[in-house]
Amino acid sequence: MRQWRESDPLIIEAGEGEFLIDAEGRRYIDGVSSLWCNIHGHRVAAIDQAIRDQLDRIAHSTLLGLTHEPAVELAARLCAIAPGDLTQVFYSDAGATATEIAFKMAVGYWYHTGQPERHTFIGLDGAYHGDTTGAMSIGYSDIFHRPFKPMTFETEFVAPGDLSALDAKLTELHGRGRGCAGVVIEPLVQGAAGMIMQPAGYLAGVQQLCREHDTLLIADEVATGFGRTGRMFACEHEAVEPDVLCLGKGLTGGYLPLAATLCTSRIAKAFEGELHEMKTLYHGHTFTGNPLACAAALASLDLFEQNDVLSEVQRKAKLMAQWLKPLNDHAGVCEVRQCGLIAGVELATAGAEDDASGAGGGTELGDFGESPSKYLRRIGYEVCNLARAYGVIIRPLGNVVILMPPLSIRDESLKQLIDVTARCIDQVTAS
Ligand SMILES: *Cc1c(COP(=O)(O)O)cnc(C)c1O
């Protein structure tokens, strides 16, 4: 907090397309989509208009005991595009609330179907599911959450990419008579861990193991959803059909806070019963399913079709790979990872006493419990700070520089984003 106060915070006053504009009129490429959420750019006429039109009707009414048209229509459209047989939508307003709700849905499902002992989740090392207590428990990151560890609940963790470890853990939990409430995964890419990519086939393998061990698969697509990976949802790459799907960030095109937790009718049915059975999922947030946000989300979904966003992402992802390629050979870079329009450039931290992970180590957030200094090393920060002088806003995760532009970014801006990143890495690592 002190360092931020002592720095000169940038004040953003406006936006336009893939650009942010500061209080002095300077323009910057929004290289992280305003924290991984902007999809079609800023001030998109169709989304602005949809929000204004909704504003002319009503800004907010509750979903507790009432409903409204944008929420109903959006739920139907989400179910139609979501992978598999997801038929129910539970709205909330942040990624963390979407995941909390998913966890409560899973535990509630087992409780109401006669298996109350099933309340332990399996998560992946280095996973991130938000900053509320349940999300911290299952997406535990020592660097972010250490002071709060005593308030988290017990979760089992396995190394991402290792199917036999997951198999063994599922068997072990069943053996202990506990069973598993669900396996929670960020499909394909573990975002906050520093854009750690899973090996091909892993996600499908996780689904297979969940089916074999009769447990739920919970996919957290808060970051990967809505086109970032080149498909609408990352699960589609491996034809995976989760039992529960968490959405947030890009849901409204990155305009307004809205999140959704989707589940199958099998799960939803467990919450139906006679009044005295008290089966309702007693969970709700005041601004759940806000109409303005739902209107923005509907307009965003229209734009996906009108602008053929998914093929555009696939085309631009190839350009991105081509333009990032030279960085692979850069002495200051130990690995470049990319999936769709998501990239992480891991900077080498050579000569540092605690750099034992080596090239491609990449799992800093997951396993560097003993060396927070690694996260605090300023090299990633310095690269991103310098980029501002060249009109680019990017943000590091430790020594990983994240590039995650709005999907609408024009080719020349994408090139500029990568060129500036490379130039800043040159300058910072040379000094
Ligand atoms: C950002 C993120 C969250 C948390 O979303 P918030 O809206 O910040 O609460 C959860 N899961 C993943 C995968 C994320 O990237």
Side-chain angles (χ1 to χ4, degrees):
M1 282 307 295
R2 181 178 299 158
Q3 284 71 39
W4 188 77
R5 279 185 201 288
E6 285 168 0
S7 72
D8 190 9
L10 197 55
I11 299 166
I12 299 302
E13 203 168 75
E16 188 180 18
E18 68 266 39
F19 296 99
L20 296 170
I21 301 160
D22 75 8
E24 269 133 57
R26 285 183 295 237
R27 291 164 77 85
Y28 305 84
I29 296 174
D30 185 358
V32 287
S33 300
S34 293
L35 242 301
W36 312 2
C37 64
N38 189 282
I39 302 281
H40 310 285
H42 299 282
R43 292 195 57 209
V44 179
I47 305 181
D48 290 0
Q49 193 56 48
I51 295 170
R52 281 196 202 99
D53 289 348
Q54 181 58 42
L55 197 52
D56 285 339
R57 292 184 206 109
I58 189 168
H60 183 67
S61 68
T62 183
L63 280 188
L64 274 70
L66 302 176
T67 189
H68 55 76
E69 202 170 310
V72 174
E73 191 186 337
L74 179 61
R77 288 183 66 180
L78 289 176
C79 290
I81 59 171
D85 186 30
L86 300 164
T87 56
Q88 313 286 319
V89 176
F90 198 110
Y91 287 112
S92 59
D93 36 46
T97 56
T99 56
E100 293 283 346
I101 290 163
F103 307 149
K104 286 178 72 175
M105 264 182 193
V107 170
Y109 168 77
W110 294 115
Y111 182 89
H112 292 306
T113 55
Q115 298 187 62
E117 72 285 359
R118 283 219 199 196
H119 50 74
T120 307
F121 291 92
I122 299 179
L124 299 184
D125 289 335
Y128 180 80
H129 301 296
D131 290 331
T132 51
T133 307
M136 286 194 297
S137 304
I138 300 173
Y140 183 75
S141 149
D142 210 64
I143 202 71
F144 299 156
H145 302 142
R146 180 180 284 187
F148 314 108
K149 192 166 187 176
M151 68 191 279
T152 61
F153 54 74
E154 196 191 335
T155 297
E156 300 288 339
F157 293 99
V158 293
D162 185 347
L163 285 171
S164 48
L166 177 59
D167 196 10
K169 188 60 81 181
L170 281 160
T171 307
E172 181 196 321
L173 272 179
H174 283 285
R176 276 195 263 154
R178 300 248 299 276
C180 171
V183 176
V184 187
I185 184 170
E186 293 162 80
L188 297 198
V189 188
Q190 284 186 236
M195 299 308 163
I196 305 299
M197 308 292 163
Q198 292 154 9
Y202 177 67
L203 180 60
V206 170
Q207 165 167 268
Q208 169 88 15
L209 287 173
C210 288
R211 300 288 186 265
E212 279 169 22
H213 290 269
D214 182 32
T215 194
L216 300 176
L217 175 61
I218 299 171
D220 176 357
E221 292 228 29
V222 170
T224 52
F226 300 101
R228 295 269 169 211
T229 66
R231 308 290 289 267
M232 197 56 145
F233 301 106
C235 282
E236 294 172 34
H237 290 270
E238 302 201 357
V240 160
E241 302 183 351
D243 300 288
V244 182
L245 176 68
C246 305
L247 303 175
K249 291 194 168 108
L251 172 56
T252 58
Y255 260 58
L256 288 167
L258 182 69
T261 309
L262 280 66
C263 73
T264 57
S265 22
R266 169 186 156 208
I267 294 174
K269 283 224 155 42
F271 294 91
E272 283 178 24
E274 298 304 320
L275 208 50
H276 70 269
E277 293 178 289
M278 306 275 284
K279 284 188 169 179
T280 298
L281 175 61
Y282 286 99
H283 190 110
H285 297 283
T286 304
F287 286 103
T288 280
N290 173 265
L292 294 172
C294 290
L298 285 167
S300 171
L301 290 181
D302 287 341
L303 288 174
F304 267 95
E305 290 169 25
Q306 283 162 29
N307 298 340
D308 203 3
V309 170
L310 298 180
S311 0
E312 274 295 283
V313 171
Q314 289 160 21
R315 186 185 64 79
K316 288 179 219 177
K318 286 192 193 124
L319 290 177
M320 193 184 210
Q322 185 189 322
W323 292 331
L324 280 171
K325 203 153 187 256
L327 275 177
N328 279 296
D329 303 321
H330 195 290
V333 172
C334 74
E335 194 179 45
V336 181
R337 298 183 285 271
Q338 190 201 340
C339 176
L341 279 179
I342 301 172
V345 179
E346 184 168 341
L347 303 175
T349 48
E353 69 294 338
D354 56 356
D355 186 32
S357 64
T363 53
E364 274 71 15
L365 278 186
D367 62 12
F368 69 169
E370 300 313 312
S371 66
S373 62
K374 213 168 192 176
Y375 188 78
L376 300 177
R377 188 171 303 134
R378 304 291 272 173
I379 185 159
Y381 169 82
E382 281 170 29
V383 167
C384 296
N385 205 36
L386 184 60
R388 290 188 183 184
Y390 297 108
V392 164
I393 301 290
I394 42 179
R395 239 185 104 80
L397 279 160
N399 61 334
V400 183
V401 175
I402 306 300
L403 304 180
M404 201 156 164
L407 305 187
S408 63
I409 190 169
R410 289 168 308 157
D411 294 2
E412 68 238 53
S413 297
L414 182 59
K415 179 94 176 32
Q416 175 79 358
L417 169 65
I418 295 166
D419 285 351
V420 165
T421 303
R423 189 186 313 162
C424 294
I425 293 173
D426 278 345
Q427 289 184 21
V428 168
T429 56
S431 58

